[in-house]
Amino acid sequence: MGVTRRAFLQAAAVAGAAAAMGLGESALAGPAAAAGAPGDVVGKVTVGYQGWFACAGDGAPVNGWWHWAQNWGQTPSPSNSAVVAWPDVRDYPTTYRTAYGSLGNGQPASLFSSYDQATVDVHFRWMKQYGIDTAALQRFNPTGGEGPTRDAMAGRVRSAAESQGVKFYVMYDVSDWTTMQADIKTDWTNKMRAHTASSAYARQNGRPVVCIWGFGFNDNQRPFAPGPCLEVVNWFKAQGCYVIGGVPTWWRTGDRDSRPGFGDVYHAFDMLSPWMVGRIGNVADADNFYNVATVPDLAECAAHGIDYQPCVLPGGVANRQRAHGDFMWRQFWNMGRAGVPSVYISMFDEYNEGNQIAKTAESQAWVPAGSGFFALDEDGTACSSDYYLRLTGDGGRMLKGQIALTAVRPTQPVVGGGGDTVPPTAPGALHVTAQSDTTVALAWTASTDNVGVTGYRIRQVTGSAAVPVGTVAGNATAFTVTGLTASTSYVFDVQALDAAGGVSQPSGQAAATTTAGSSPTVNLALHRPTAESSHTQVYGSGNAVDGDPNTYWESANNAFPQWLQVDLGAVTAVRRIVLTLPPATAWATRTQTVAVQGSTDSGAFGQLLGATACTFDPATGNTATLTLPATVTTRYVRLVITANTGWPAGQISEFRVYAA
């Protein structure tokens, strides 16, 4: 596991900073204007997004408890932990059981995986909900064993940003990356640059944004000389990029945490974002840095035509720095009175260092018993789990002039002084009411809630993982799972939901085995060779026949018609085709127009079924079935997609072909 930034930065003491500068507020010029016009980073609130958590059983190439545990090969426990704060996981559709004891409220201690698309969708939905404009995806050295997982995470972030209407950009962290100068260019050219085609990729001054974090730091993890660093910055600018520098706190003076001789490198960036974690820990520190760093930094940037994006941090939970939001709000106020237009929140999901704003355990009822983790109420003030997301939203509105500039924190730790923190009871008596070769019908008894149950989430359980397969709203207590495989055993459970985001403990499990059916039910396309008209990012055609409902093929955007083809290996009888999209509810209902063609030799294709509207609804498994007018014999089956109401591209998770 990589060393976290705080581990090396806290060694630089804050004490003596003001004396070293010899400056007070009265000696400084007034607030300077932003160098650039508002865009996707200037005048916006950006969060650092790690996206680096994985769990055993989630399918990630890293294959372990990535960043949750010191030993990734072992389940997280009090003696095998890499985090200092515990997330609130009630909003996540899929979680993974750990070896910690139960939470204080008796619920199992489970964690989320960033590798699950549904998790990233939840995170970006929060960003949209709480007024966060842009996410900076942290990308460490991708040439080692973590590379494939990080590559996949970039695709998941892109998908979530597009679906939720949030911007994102790639932020390279050069820590411990000895071959950075050559590798970073190759990685951008061959992999990351493709994501700039996304409508959600951040642009500033008309150029795609990229950040490089770590040039100029005076430590052994970033031993680079000024020359190679300047060459890399200029290379990215020559590629047409708007380049942000994540730089040392004392970049302007070139001392303390900054190597000398980096002035030309710093001034080559389009925007500078000085690091702050470990530099301040209370309101007095924040006020001091307003005088000795923020105001003169902003003036220096304005004088050189550079945009300025300083850090705002919530404080470390384990360090008990947060002061129920007063520490973070003081930083927002200092940025506002200095005239700073853009901020970088450190960080969104950094549970390893405890400076995350994402939903966090609000009391010991939501922390594993005996773990030693503090919750957000550690100073005796009750805080909702989303408090720091709400605080970030209000701080951003203040900097944008949407609410008045004020030193008095307007955000209450708990909405209305109370709030619904009681989840529903678990659904009861889950049982199977009917089954066929491709469906299982379930029913259960209703849950209760102190305010009211708003719906239920139905999950398929495999080992320690539970994947949502559908939801029902209101008082409904029955659901039919579709798109299943004949003669196969399945296990399901159900969770109740309330309006405050509360999620119940799962019901008891119900098991069922689908029937054999009266016709052949073998998926002839499973693991067969595929071909395609095009694909985007990592969403190649092979994803459609891998048997995994969460992977998918996606064609190039805005280029209909597109096609997806499978080779059945021999001429065989075909009558029925089943198409799916990922079961997560984030894949909202959409209709794709699909025609089916066939060929015995991959040469001339004939029409097997004319253009048909296929509706994919997550409430019914995101599945569509195409039945041919008659059984045909063919070897190559091709789908031709000409429209999609949910996205301007063809999208298929599972392409199944049956003889009848």
Side-chain angles (χ1 to χ4, degrees):
M1 183 180 70
V3 178
T4 58
R5 291 171 180 169
R6 176 174 292 172
F8 70 85
L9 286 175
Q10 281 185 319
V14 172
M21 286 295 299
L23 292 173
E25 185 173 358
S26 61
L28 300 171
D40 290 340
V41 289
V42 172
K44 296 298 192 292
V45 174
T46 299
V47 292
Y49 187 69
Q50 297 285 19
W52 65 5
F53 294 105
C55 302
D58 63 3
V62 76
N63 192 29
W65 294 90
W66 195 35
H67 289 278
W68 286 126
Q70 291 289 343
N71 180 349
W72 299 350
Q74 300 295 321
T75 307
S77 68
S79 61
N80 185 35
S81 176
V83 298
V84 298
W86 192 261
D88 179 347
V89 301
R90 283 176 284 180
D91 283 3
Y92 298 103
T94 304
T95 57
Y96 301 82
R97 188 76 64 87
T98 71
Y100 284 94
S102 296
L103 305 183
N105 57 21
Q107 295 191 23
S110 298
L111 293 167
F112 66 81
S113 169
S114 305
Y115 193 75
D116 290 330
Q117 182 67 60
T119 291
V120 189
D121 291 340
V122 166
H123 287 163
F124 276 73
R125 185 164 65 248
W126 290 346
M127 294 180 202
K128 184 67 173 180
Q129 177 183 354
Y130 295 101
I132 295 165
D133 304 293
T134 306
L137 173 62
Q138 314 294 287
R139 187 164 176 82
F140 293 77
N141 182 353
T143 63
E146 299 178 18
T149 303
R150 292 193 181 279
D151 293 347
M153 284 308 307
R156 284 157 170 73
V157 165
R158 174 176 178 172
S159 177
E162 290 171 346
S163 67
Q164 301 302 322
V166 175
K167 299 295 184 180
F168 78 103
Y169 63 83
V170 173
M171 184 175 187
Y172 285 106
D173 188 317
V174 300
S175 304
D176 301 309
W177 193 353
T178 56
T179 54
M180 173 276 304
Q181 188 177 4
D183 291 348
I184 199 170
K185 301 172 192 174
T186 301
D187 184 74
W188 178 257
T189 301
N190 295 344
K191 294 181 179 179
M192 293 299 100
R193 184 168 60 185
H195 293 298
T196 65
S198 170
S199 60
Y201 197 89
R203 290 181 172 270
Q204 183 62 46
N205 304 342
R207 294 178 282 157
V209 176
V210 65
C211 179
I212 305 171
W213 192 96
F215 284 173
F217 280 89
N218 189 19
D219 60 75
N220 294 330
Q221 285 189 287
R222 283 147 291 271
F224 312 107
C229 294
L230 182 59
E231 191 273 335
V232 168
V233 175
N234 287 333
W235 182 88
F236 273 100
K237 293 175 75 171
Q239 306 304 302
C241 296
Y242 176 94
V243 189
I244 302 174
V247 296
T249 306
W250 303 110
W251 65 274
R252 178 174 39 82
T253 54
D255 56 7
R256 285 161 282 188
D257 65 343
S258 173
R259 295 180 185 274
F262 267 78
D264 289 344
V265 179
Y266 300 146
H267 290 132
F269 285 110
D270 296 298
M271 172 181 269
L272 289 176
S273 187
W275 193 237
M276 191 60 68
V277 175
R279 298 298 196 260
I280 60 176
N282 54 46
V283 167
D285 290 345
D287 287 350
N288 178 51
F289 265 74
Y290 167 84
N291 288 319
V292 301
T294 304
V295 173
D297 277 3
L298 180 58
E300 174 81 359
C301 285
H304 288 81
I306 300 170
D307 295 314
Y308 183 48
Q309 186 197 57
C311 288
V312 169
L313 48 142
V317 174
N319 304 101
R320 311 186 79 168
Q321 297 174 332
R322 296 200 172 196
H324 52 271
D326 288 347
F327 174 51
M328 189 178 195
W329 189 259
R330 189 69 172 197
Q331 297 169 66
F332 275 122
W333 180 64
N334 283 336
M335 298 304 170
R337 65 189 178 117
V340 170
S342 322
V343 292
Y344 179 88
I345 307 298
S346 311
M347 306 276 288
F348 184 84
D349 55 342
E350 179 58 281
Y351 294 95
N352 307 89
E353 296 176 352
N355 62 344
Q356 74 289 339
I357 63 168
K359 293 188 181 182
T360 300
E362 56 198 33
S363 70
Q364 289 299 308
W366 297 98
V367 168
S371 64
F373 292 127
F374 289 118
L376 293 184
D377 65 350
E378 50 81 20
D379 70 348
T381 303
C383 301
S384 64
S385 65
D386 70 342
Y387 176 43
Y388 287 89
L389 291 166
R390 291 190 289 110
L391 196 69
T392 297
D394 286 345
R397 281 186 282 276
M398 184 174 69
L399 295 184
K400 295 170 185 175
Q402 296 168 358
I403 61 176
L405 180 65
T406 174
V408 179
R409 170 176 47 78
T411 318
Q412 296 304 308
V414 178
V415 176
D420 179 10
T421 60
V422 179
T425 62
L430 179 65
H431 60 286
V432 177
T433 59
Q435 60 205 70
S436 70
D437 58 338
T438 60
T439 66
V440 170
L442 301 167
W444 56 90
T445 58
S447 299
T448 60
D449 185 67
N450 63 320
V451 177
V453 173
T454 59
Y456 296 89
R457 175 188 296 151
I458 298 86
R459 308 189 303 175
Q460 179 181 327
V461 182
T462 304
S464 63
V467 177
V469 293
T471 58
V472 294
N475 298 321
T477 56
F479 181 82
T480 298
V481 184
T482 62
L484 304 178
T485 303
S487 303
T488 303
S489 296
Y490 293 92
V491 177
F492 303 96
D493 67 19
V494 178
Q495 295 174 306
L497 314 173
D498 68 20
V503 181
S504 77
Q505 294 191 55
S507 67
Q509 296 179 347
T513 300
T514 51
T515 63
S518 59
S519 59
T521 56
V522 175
N523 177 11
L524 304 174
L526 185 63
H527 303 310
R528 299 300 308 169
T530 59
E532 61 189 16
S533 54
S534 67
H535 74 269
T536 187
Q537 305 172 51
V538 296
Y539 308 119
S541 58
N543 290 346
V545 296
D546 63 359
D548 183 348
N550 296 297
T551 62
Y552 60 96
W553 165 74
E554 180 174 307
S555 73
N557 288 350
N558 300 303
F560 290 123
Q562 295 287 330
W563 55 266
L564 172 65
Q565 175 182 309
V566 62
D567 176 4
L568 303 180
V571 175
T572 188
V574 172
R575 180 65 187 278
R576 181 168 56 99
I577 296 168
V578 176
L579 307 177
T580 75
L581 289 178
T585 55
W587 282 76
T589 300
R590 66 199 63 202
T591 298
Q592 299 189 68
T593 304
V594 183
V596 182
Q597 299 178 349
S599 172
T600 58
D601 60 2
S602 77
F605 278 81
Q607 189 93 315
L608 303 182
L609 183 67
T612 302
C614 296
T615 298
F616 298 85
D617 184 346
T620 54
N622 259 350
T623 300
T625 298
L626 296 170
T627 302
L628 306 184
T631 299
V632 299
T633 54
T634 188
R635 172 173 174 174
Y636 299 90
V637 181
R638 175 179 290 184
L639 307 176
V640 179
I641 302 176
T642 53
N644 184 347
T645 62
W647 192 248
Q651 297 171 311
I652 299 294
S653 173
E654 286 296 296
F655 179 7
R656 303 169 182 157
V657 180
Y658 299 94

